[in-house]
Amino acid sequence: MIDGISIYSFYRYEDISMLIGSKYSIFGSRVLKILSKKASEYFFNSHNISLWEQAKIYGIAIDDCVRSHYSHTAVILREFCKHSFRPSYGALKAKNMVHYAGKSLLYRQSNPRNFIYTKKFDNVFIVDDIITTGTTIKEAKKTVEKNGSNVLFAIVLCDAKS
């Protein structure tokens, strides 16, 4: 739980660090697609999705702009929206292109992403690849809710929190 929303994660970072690290290479989209497909199948098999199908829930990926040939968060979002959710690509963009990999909590808090949310849906969920400190999810949630959407939950592929 972060700021009152459930965060669903599916892998431990230490178990898939080599695989998730492939997001920086051209073949990483294929690896992320496989990991995301398995995670989304598990998610939808363990939850009653018939209730959600009527709610028109949109998925938004954290900063899904294309870098290094594709957007890794868009790949994850696409797999989770094959069931009953609707994707909204390009809805949540970072103005600050800071990289958090390997950085401390203090660094993350001192260098916010400064998101811009360009859509307005009643109900959304947020997608990211890794949760470490929760800073990015908190900032994304705050931005989305400030602009009138209700964040129901977040999905991340793996959890690196220790």
Side-chain angles (χ1 to χ4, degrees), residues 130-153:
I130 303 169
I131 186 167
T132 305
T133 62
T135 304
T136 303
I137 297 275
K138 286 179 190 177
E139 185 181 352
K141 178 184 181 286
K142 180 180 173 183
T143 301
V144 169
E145 288 180 340
K146 182 177 81 178
N147 287 285
S149 293
N150 181 35
V151 179
L152 301 175
F153 56 92

Side-chain angles (χ1 to χ4, degrees), residues 4-28:
I5 63 168
S6 296
I7 312 295
Y8 296 97
S9 66
F10 303 92
Y11 305 99
R12 293 182 331 162
Y13 179 76
E14 56 268 16
D15 293 340
I16 65 162
S17 62
M18 185 179 74
L19 296 173
I20 203 83
S22 72
K23 70 183 180 182
Y24 301 111
S25 64
I26 196 160
F27 67 87

Side-chain angles (χ1 to χ4, degrees), residues 5 30 33 35 52 75-76 99 108 154:
I5 63 168
R30 291 178 181 88
K33 180 178 179 178
L35 291 171
W52 291 345
V75 170
I76 301 165
H99 295 282
R108 293 164 188 255

Side-chain angles (χ1 to χ4, degrees), residues 11 36 62 65 74 76 82-84 87 95 97 102 107-108 130:
Y11 305 99
S36 300
I62 289 181
C65 58
I76 301 165
K82 285 185 174 179
H83 298 276
S84 66
K95 289 192 288 185
M97 303 311 276
Y107 178 85
R108 293 164 188 255
I130 303 169

